[in-house]
Structure formats: C-alpha cells, structure tokens
Amino acid sequence: MLILSIDQSAATGSAAILDDQRLVAERHWAETRFSRQQLFPSLKALLNDAGLEPGAIQLYVVGVGPGSYSGLRVALAAAMAMALPGKIPVYGITSAEGIAWQAAEVAHVAQVRIVGDARRDQWWTRCFRRLDAYMRPVADW
C-alpha cells in the first residue's frame, strides 16, 4: 500500500512516501510561523523522486499536532484535497502517537507515557498502550 504522510506541526515540515513500511522517498523543509508555502513544491518533488503520480497514493496520513495551527490546517487541507478525487482515506495521527510507537518499539514495551512541551510553562501528557499495530490512548490528555 502506497502511503503519503505529511507533517507541518513543527518548525521543520516533512513528507514521506512509504510502500507499506518501506520508505520510498522523503522530504524535509524549514518552515516559518508565517509562511507555509513550501509544502506544495515539496510534495511535487517528493512524488517526482518516487516516480509516482498523485493517483497512485492509496492512503494519506497527516500529523495533527499538537503544533503549529497554520501548519496543521495547511497539511490537512492539502491531504484532503489530494485524496478527494479518488476518495482515498485520510487519517490523522498525533505527534504523541508517533513518539509513543517509536518509544514502545525501542524499549520493547506495551505501554508508554509521552510528555511534551505545551509552552507557556505547561506540559501535555498522554499514556498509550500498544495493541496489535496501533498505539491506543489509555486516558485523556
């Protein structure tokens, strides 16, 4: 399954194409808080690097934060627009879920708690349990 993932929740935007779990191509770019204009040229270059047309993508995965509100909106709108003609599924994944998956893999554990900087002297935290191929939240944020 060809998957296109996009994340613009942080100062560095990124996109990747995976064939199941094998990385096919990836791009990273510096973003500024007020300019989210590098996504579309980066997506075009990414598809070109992979030798694919947009219609070949079978699933879109988008980072949904926490993070930059503008970046999240642009990334989600782009994925939904690209997916719409072929009615391709679009899924959102939180930064915490991605980090939890990596931490569980490295530590060989089934449950992890992720803590992040919410700025303004605040923290966010969430506990996840690994079930099959998913990281499921155990409790609210």
Side-chain angles (χ1 to χ4, degrees):
M1 173 178 283
L2 286 173
I3 303 166
L4 175 60
S5 67
I6 304 169
D7 187 18
Q8 288 204 137
S9 63
T12 301
S14 63
I17 296 175
L18 298 118
D19 188 351
D20 289 320
Q21 293 187 16
R22 184 182 62 84
L23 181 65
V24 174
E26 67 181 324
R27 287 273 171 160
H28 302 274
W29 58 91
E31 287 287 0
T32 66
R33 185 174 176 178
F34 303 105
S35 173
R36 297 290 174 174
Q37 299 173 2
Q38 295 183 55
L39 175 63
F40 295 102
S42 296
L43 289 175
K44 184 176 180 179
L46 178 71
L47 288 163
N48 191 36
D49 291 349
L52 297 170
E53 294 293 323
I57 302 301
Q58 298 167 293
L59 175 68
Y60 290 87
V61 178
V62 182
V64 294
S68 162
Y69 181 66
S70 295
L72 298 173
R73 286 186 328 187
V74 170
L76 194 53
M80 291 175 72
M82 292 173 69
L84 187 60
K87 298 182 182 175
I88 307 301
V90 177
Y91 290 99
I93 183 169
T94 67
S95 301
E97 287 173 281
I99 295 167
W101 178 265
Q102 288 179 327
E105 282 283 302
V106 169
H108 305 290
V109 296
Q111 187 166 314
V112 295
R113 176 170 298 278
I114 304 301
V115 179
D117 185 357
R119 299 191 180 108
R120 299 183 186 135
D121 295 323
Q122 296 182 346
W123 297 91
W124 56 261
T125 180
R126 195 162 201 192
C127 189
F128 293 89
R129 179 180 303 277
R130 185 174 178 170
L131 298 172
D132 299 322
Y134 300 95
M135 293 306 290
R136 298 193 189 236
V138 174
D140 290 334
W141 295 100

